């Protein structure tokens, strides 16, 4: 699985959009970009994933650049409950391999 | 639909003892993965089970083992506990069909403290 690079920490004002970047310059053609988050001492929570098109769900939007070397997770109207560590993970959907390789993630703090 | 459940939620053991943790996946999910999370090493993959077979294993000593039952429930066992085994143990389940990307759903974890 390709390596990802994320900033260690970010702050965002409550009510504003939080934009979390992720660099994955060595991504392969069949690898998906996944985002998970972990609120303190809880299990990670799946947010969204995508291959090359932009994706949106009820939680967030995922913007993947055309060359797929980077992506941005957007939380449109951040709330205090969005304070968490956000992990960007790149992996291929290989049947027989569900392993997720977590990096150090981005610690997002929402400021009241 | 009920989420992934893990029991017990908290556990205190002493060095040298052994421990068994349990995970019930989301109904219909056939893959169960286990992770260890510590402040120093972060989230690390332990192993994955599918249809009662271990098909992926992380870089952990043989003291860490697991199994999966026919109903997809899984247990992991740690023998001869060491202080460094103190961690949050997380279980995740997925459909594991391999196409189109699968999301994994995590349980709340079992917090193990070794004294």
């Amino acid at each position: 699985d390709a390596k990802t690079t994320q900033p260690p920490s970010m702050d965002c004002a409550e009510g504003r959009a939080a934009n979390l970047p992720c660099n994955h310059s060595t991504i392969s053609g069949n690898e998906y970009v996944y985002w998970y988050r972990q609120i303190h001492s809880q299990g990670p929570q799946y947010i969204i994933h995508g291959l090359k098109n932009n994706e949106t769900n009820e939680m967030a939007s995922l913007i993947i650049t055309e060359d797929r070397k980077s992506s941005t997770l957007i939380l449109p109207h951040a709330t205090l409950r969005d304070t968490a560590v956000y992990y960007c993970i790149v992996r291929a959907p290989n049947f027989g391999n569900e392993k997720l390789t977590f990096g150090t993630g981005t610690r997002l703090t929402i400021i009241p | 639909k009920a989420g992934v459940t893990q029991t017990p939620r908290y556990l205190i053991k002493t060095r040298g003892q052994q421990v068994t943790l349990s995970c019930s996946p989301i109904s219909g999910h056939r893959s169960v993965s286990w992770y260890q999370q510590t402040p120093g090493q972060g989230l690390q993959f332990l192993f994955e089970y599918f249809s009662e077979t271990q098909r992926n294993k992380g870089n952990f000593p043989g003291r860490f083992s697991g199994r999966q039952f026919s109903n997809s429930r899984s247990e992991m066992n740690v023998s001869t506990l060491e202080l460094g085994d103190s961690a949050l143990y997380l279980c995740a389940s997925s459909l594991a069909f391999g196409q189109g990307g699968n999301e994994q759903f995590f349980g709340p974890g079992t917090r193990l403290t070794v004294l």
Side-chain angles (χ1 to χ4, degrees), chain A residues 34 36 38 93 95 97-98 100, chain B residues 35 37 56 94 96 98 102 104:
Chain A
Y34 291 78
Y36 286 78
Q38 187 174 26
F95 185 70
N97 179 14
E98 297 297 298
L100 293 172
Chain B
Y35 294 81
Q37 186 171 30
N56 216 346
S94 70
N102 290 309
Q104 292 195 32

Side-chain angles (χ1 to χ4, degrees), chain A residues 32 34 36 38 41-46 49 87 91 93-103, chain B residues 31 33 35 37 43 45 48 50 55-56 90 94 96-98 100-104 106-108 111:
Chain A
Y32 283 72
Y34 291 78
Y36 286 78
Q38 187 174 26
S41 293
Q42 297 182 22
Q45 177 189 23
Y46 165 81
H49 74 280
Y87 297 98
R91 65 178 289 265
N94 296 321
F95 185 70
N97 179 14
E98 297 297 298
K99 172 184 174 182
L100 293 172
T101 301
F102 288 85
Chain B
S31 167
S33 299
Y35 294 81
Q37 186 171 30
L43 267 157
F45 173 79
E48 184 216 342
F50 180 84
R55 58 180 192 179
N56 216 346
L90 292 156
S94 70
F97 286 128
N102 290 309
E103 54 267 35
Q104 292 195 32
F106 284 79
R111 170 93 39 205

